[in-house]
Amino acid sequence: MHQLFSQVLGQRDLSRAGDLFSLEDAEIEDCLSQALDQIKAISCSPDYLTNDNDQAVVEICITRITTAIRETGSIEQHSTALVGLWESCLEHNLTPQGENTEDTPHAKIASDITSCILQNYSCPSVMVLAVPVAVRFLQRGNRELSRNMSSYLSLAAIAKSDLLAEHTEAITLSVLGGNHMLLRVLPSVYPRQPDTIHCHLGDLTAMMSQLESPEQHHLIRLIQMVAEQHPFVSVCVPALVSYLGDQSLTEALLGALVDVSQASPSSLVSFLPALRIVGQQCPALLGHVAKIHGAVGIISETHAHSSLVYLVSLLGSMEHSFHHTLLLEIRALTDRYPSLLGGCGKDIYRMSNSFTAIARLLGRRLEESATMHSGGGVGSEQRLQVKIQAFEEKMGEEGEEEEVEEESPALQRRYSLSQAVREERREMRFNRNLPFLYVCVSLTDSNRGCVAKLSFSCPLKGHYCLYAKSCFNLTSRQPHLWIHIMLLHLQSKSSVPLCSRDECVQRLASLWEKTQMKGAHSFPMAMTQHITPHRKDLESLQIQLEEVRFFDLFGYSEEEGGWLCFMCNNPEKATVVNQEGQPLIEGKLKEKQVRWKFIKRWKTRYFTLAGNQLLFRRGKSKDELDDIPIELSKVQSVKVVAKKRRDRGLPRAFEIFTDSKTYVLKAQDEKHAEEWLQCINVAVAQARERENREATTYL
């Protein structure tokens, strides 16, 4: 141990303790564990609680040690001694004493060490030692320490949740004891310790009104996870329904109740009247209420009848955007119990834009079914006819003029409730996974058929937008699929059903006809037969977008509810990307060198992506002289090495194509390769956009 540390700790010399800060960190780095062990011995001595001199010496030494650990990055080297001192504090009183509620001496030591460990929450070897000790601090009566431990455990749950799983019981009890911050940990440990959470789920749900908004949403997320795994979640239903009056929670709670209805529909039967009232008060949430009724209706024909009465009545009050959800629920019930529509339900669901025709046909079948069962008396199904007629009037002139073949052959596929739910969730994912931007399409003929040339632009067009003046271009051999997607996008943005006379629909129909192959369906027939593209087509389209690195440059924005370019999605990164000379990314890459036709080798170089250039040095060091840089505005494309060329030596390689040369580069691993690819693609798009802006300004 360093001589000065030996003097200060061995002799409890407070007068020399301040001199420890005059030492270089590297000078004392190797002796920090010894110093921590000696501090542990001092703090455990019988007179430590009453010896102000020893307490001051320990406090100064701990501050110097934790500073040196932080500056030298030696936390792993000294973690055993550090956690050992931390754990020794648990053997002493940590509850604040006196009127001023001042921390006890050992609580001060624990607090100082906690700060050091918190800074290294993502270090696995430290976490293995620290997490079990941190959990023990939760129940020691010191609110400040408990709050700090909660912060550490929350971070640990993100980095390595499996270390917390065995402590689920202690963490849950701490939450129930008022340490609400730890609620964010429970969703992370639930998959590994579900039974422990199940035992306390009722008590946790009862705490909802005591929680702050972030903790409430963590609890709701936990309930949704339980609903996906276990019908035990039914114990939460009364409490969840009672909190629906809180407008800040209504939407999230209804979303959770939808999940609960899939796991335990019977638990919601008695609460349907209350849910209908919520739907009346919040029309935008009627879709959730409809899904719950659909789930409950599947229990029996009696429940299905009651739910169907309500669902059909909603046709006259819900906005057009909800109709598809509503009809999926109605269809699931009538497929399960065909007698509800007199056995003729299969002719109803020809998913076109004419919801008027669907409503008319539903009303007719319900009326016929009611007549058969009641012998001509007026039943609830007949009363529904009045509501459906009101809905038809509300739909307006378009519905009166449109003709629909009611006797056309029914679709062969029939949907169960679970299939209907999966179908709708697939469409929700479809809206997120595929880009709905401002897209321009042109069509050209090639030797292999029609090709769609698509240009994507960012709708936000912020100050640093990558595509304010330019576009991301894509060539696709699936023009019909893109036309179908654009029609769905237009319909999702429209508050009324689209009509074949609408200009935007006519444009798409014209494009369809130009690409229509002999024997293929016409545009109206294709759109009515398949309301959404086939899953296989969507998957192939997404693969193509991934291959052209589309998702490096665009991402879905929850705030804007749409797809934005990288810079509009991440405005905080604009200063780095646009600052001249400031590296966006730098490091070593291997460049493929071709000497002769059959002799190739990789050479390590140091690359820097900054401004409008990709700079690379002649050697491995960034201090060596620059070679000729790659001008980003001249880059034509950046791609990963094609799969057919991948072998054991090329899992991390990518290519940069310019007008005069192709560069083949390889990163340390696939993670680094992905990082380089995204940064290069963003920088290339930014360089092109800057060039386009300058050209526009000049003109």
Side-chain angles (χ1 to χ4, degrees):
M1 188 161 54
H2 192 278
Q3 182 181 1
L4 186 55
F5 256 126
S6 297
Q7 180 180 346
V8 171
L9 291 172
Q11 302 176 16
R12 320 290 203 270
D13 190 347
L14 183 60
S15 64
R16 296 295 309 278
D19 295 341
L20 291 170
F21 291 90
S22 65
L23 301 175
E24 293 292 333
D25 294 321
E27 193 176 349
I28 59 174
E29 178 182 357
D30 293 335
C31 70
L32 297 179
S33 291
Q34 293 175 279
L36 287 166
D37 290 338
Q38 192 157 349
I39 290 173
K40 178 179 176 181
I42 295 172
S43 65
C44 291
S45 61
D47 64 338
Y48 182 73
L49 292 176
T50 58
N51 193 321
D52 293 340
N53 181 83
D54 287 4
Q55 292 175 23
V57 168
V58 166
E59 186 174 347
I60 293 172
C61 288
I62 288 178
T63 301
R64 182 65 188 97
I65 290 170
T66 54
T67 301
I69 289 175
R70 182 180 66 250
E71 295 299 323
T72 59
S74 56
I75 181 68
E76 292 183 272
Q77 180 183 347
H78 303 294
S79 59
T80 301
L82 190 66
V83 174
L85 174 57
W86 199 34
E87 187 174 18
S88 71
C89 297
L90 289 165
E91 301 171 6
H92 304 277
N93 180 33
L94 301 176
T95 306
Q97 303 292 316
E99 297 180 359
N100 297 327
T101 63
E102 183 179 356
D103 277 338
T104 64
H106 292 92
K108 291 178 181 177
I109 295 175
S111 181
D112 291 340
I113 295 175
T114 300
S115 300
C116 182
I117 291 176
L118 269 173
Q119 294 168 358
N120 298 275
Y121 71 88
S122 61
C123 182
S125 62
V126 179
M127 290 170 62
V128 169
L129 297 173
V131 166
V133 179
V135 172
R136 292 173 61 190
F137 275 102
L138 294 175
Q139 304 294 337
R140 294 307 303 269
N142 188 304
R143 184 168 298 179
E144 182 65 20
L145 271 177
S146 181
R147 186 180 67 82
N148 290 337
M149 298 306 162
S150 300
S151 298
Y152 176 66
L153 293 174
S154 299
L155 294 170
I158 298 172
K160 204 164 181 61
S161 59
D162 56 311
L163 289 178
L164 296 175
E166 62 183 280
H167 307 290
T168 302
E169 178 72 17
I171 293 171
T172 306
L173 291 176
S174 182
V175 171
L176 293 172
N179 191 1
H180 300 154
M181 183 185 296
L182 278 176
L183 264 169
R184 68 189 63 191
V185 174
L186 296 183
S188 299
V189 299
Y190 173 72
R192 296 174 179 82
Q193 290 287 336
D195 293 340
T196 303
I197 301 293
H198 293 164
C199 292
H200 299 287
L201 192 60
D203 294 333
L204 289 169
T205 308
M207 297 172 53
M208 186 76 74
S209 60
Q210 307 168 26
L211 306 176
E212 297 294 330
S213 179
E215 282 75 33
Q216 287 175 332
H217 287 280
H218 287 305
L219 178 55
I220 292 172
R221 180 186 166 210
L222 175 64
I223 293 170
Q224 289 176 313
M225 292 179 67
V226 176
E228 292 175 1
Q229 302 288 334
H230 204 283
F232 182 84
V233 76
S234 59
V235 300
C236 305
V237 172
L240 293 177
V241 174
S242 69
Y243 297 130
L244 285 172
D246 186 342
Q247 293 185 356
S248 65
L249 290 175
T250 304
E251 183 173 5
L253 286 172
L254 278 177
L257 287 172
V258 170
D259 291 330
V260 172
S261 70
Q262 303 301 317
S264 179
S266 59
S267 65
L268 284 151
V269 172
S270 60
F271 298 101
L272 292 182
L275 294 174
R276 292 170 189 168
I277 294 173
V278 173
Q280 291 175 351
Q281 296 171 344
C282 307
L285 302 179
L286 276 170
H288 290 318
V289 178
K291 292 176 186 177
I292 295 171
H293 277 75
V296 171
I298 215 72
I299 296 173
S300 68
E301 187 167 349
T302 302
H303 288 96
H305 173 270
S306 176
S307 293
L308 191 61
V309 170
Y310 175 71
L311 293 171
V312 176
S313 72
L314 287 179
L315 282 171
S317 59
M318 292 179 74
E319 295 180 5
H320 171 72
S321 57
F322 291 108
H323 286 161
H324 186 81
T325 299
L326 185 58
L327 290 173
L328 279 174
E329 301 302 331
I330 294 174
R331 178 174 184 170
L333 293 178
T334 54
D335 277 0
R336 184 67 173 267
Y337 303 105
S339 61
L340 290 171
L341 294 178
C344 300
K346 64 181 181 179
D347 295 328
I348 296 177
Y349 309 107
R350 299 188 61 79
M351 294 294 188
S352 69
N353 287 332
S354 178
F355 292 103
T356 302
I358 294 174
R360 185 185 300 117
L361 201 53
L362 265 175
R364 182 182 306 166
R365 301 305 186 200
L366 285 171
E367 184 177 13
E368 292 173 356
S369 178
T371 302
M372 288 171 54
H373 286 85
S374 62
V378 179
S380 58
E381 290 88 348
Q382 290 173 300
R383 292 194 294 272
L384 282 176
Q385 179 66 20
V386 178
K387 297 179 180 178
I388 294 173
Q389 288 174 349
F391 167 70
E392 292 175 356
E393 294 173 2
K394 185 174 180 179
M395 292 296 289
E397 296 179 358
E398 180 187 342
E400 295 297 327
E401 297 174 0
E402 189 169 359
E403 295 183 2
V404 178
E405 286 186 33
E406 296 180 354
E407 302 303 325
S408 55
L411 294 175
Q412 294 301 311
R413 174 186 284 183
R414 301 182 64 183
Y415 292 76
S416 66
L417 174 66
S418 59
Q419 288 173 322
V421 170
R422 286 198 299 270
E423 175 71 10
E424 183 171 0
R425 286 181 177 172
R426 181 174 72 85
E427 290 184 7
M428 292 172 66
R429 290 196 300 271
F430 168 82
N431 287 335
R432 293 279 186 92
N433 292 344
L434 295 179
F436 285 152
L437 307 163
Y438 295 124
V439 183
C440 298
V441 181
S442 62
L443 299 167
T444 60
D445 290 324
S446 71
N447 294 332
R448 296 167 61 187
C450 288
V451 174
K453 294 183 177 179
L454 302 105
S455 299
F456 296 83
S457 178
C458 177
L460 193 61
K461 300 193 183 302
H463 182 70
Y464 292 110
C465 182
L466 294 177
Y467 298 104
K469 298 289 184 181
S470 58
C471 293
F472 178 90
N473 297 312
L474 170 66
T475 299
S476 173
R477 297 191 178 276
Q478 297 175 290
H480 280 186
L481 178 57
W482 280 104
I483 293 171
H484 198 166
I485 289 172
M486 284 186 282
L487 178 66
L488 291 174
H489 179 49
L490 290 172
Q491 182 64 80
S492 71
K493 297 295 184 183
S494 175
S495 59
V496 297
L498 292 177
C499 173
S500 59
R501 296 185 296 274
D502 291 339
E503 183 180 356
C504 59
V505 177
Q506 289 179 351
R507 289 180 182 175
L508 292 178
S510 175
L511 289 173
W512 184 281
E513 291 170 2
K514 291 179 181 179
T515 62
Q516 187 173 345
M517 299 179 67
K518 186 176 181 180
H521 288 307
S522 65
F523 179 73
M525 178 65 72
M527 294 304 103
T528 54
Q529 281 200 345
H530 303 288
I531 191 167
T532 60
H534 294 298
R535 181 186 299 274
K536 184 177 180 181
D537 291 335
L538 294 180
E539 289 174 350
S540 68
L541 188 148
Q542 184 160 345
I543 289 171
Q544 183 187 9
L545 291 176
E546 290 171 352
E547 287 176 349
V548 299
R549 309 300 298 180
F550 178 91
F551 300 107
D552 286 349
L553 300 165
F554 291 97
Y556 187 84
S557 168
E558 295 282 355
E559 184 177 350
E560 296 293 332
W563 286 76
L564 305 179
C565 75
F566 176 85
M567 295 309 297
C568 291
N569 256 332
N570 303 277
E572 74 281 357
K573 297 184 180 179
T575 53
V576 177
V577 177
N578 290 276
Q579 186 172 344
E580 291 295 335
Q582 177 69 30
L584 177 59
I585 187 174
E586 59 181 339
K588 295 177 183 178
L589 295 172
K590 292 184 177 181
E591 182 187 6
K592 193 171 187 178
Q593 307 264 316
V594 181
R595 294 281 180 161
W596 292 278
K597 184 175 181 180
F598 301 105
I599 300 179
K600 304 178 180 68
R601 66 174 184 172
W602 295 93
K603 181 177 180 181
T604 302
R605 290 187 162 194
Y606 195 91
F607 287 77
T608 302
L609 182 63
N612 290 333
Q613 296 179 324
L614 177 61
L615 307 167
F616 51 97
R617 287 15 180 219
R618 293 180 179 175
K620 300 180 182 180
S621 171
K622 64 179 180 180
D623 298 325
E624 296 188 35
L625 296 176
D626 289 357
D627 210 331
I628 301 174
I630 301 174
E631 295 292 336
L632 298 180
S633 60
K634 305 299 183 184
V635 173
Q636 296 175 342
S637 63
V638 183
K639 299 179 181 178
V640 293
V641 173
K643 289 184 178 179
K644 63 182 180 180
R645 290 172 50 195
R646 284 192 176 184
D647 54 27
R648 289 180 300 173
L650 291 175
R652 315 178 291 275
F654 57 94
E655 297 168 302
I656 301 176
F657 299 89
T658 68
D659 51 2
S660 60
K661 186 177 179 180
T662 298
Y663 298 85
V664 182
L665 306 175
K666 185 166 66 174
Q668 176 183 348
D669 50 39
E670 290 190 356
K671 179 182 177 182
H672 285 85
E674 284 292 321
E675 187 177 1
W676 271 99
L677 279 164
Q678 180 168 29
C679 289
I680 293 173
N681 275 314
V682 169
V684 168
Q686 186 74 6
R688 289 175 181 168
E689 179 66 19
R690 189 181 294 116
E691 195 174 63
N692 284 328
R693 286 182 179 178
E694 290 173 355
T696 303
T697 304
Y698 176 77
L699 292 173

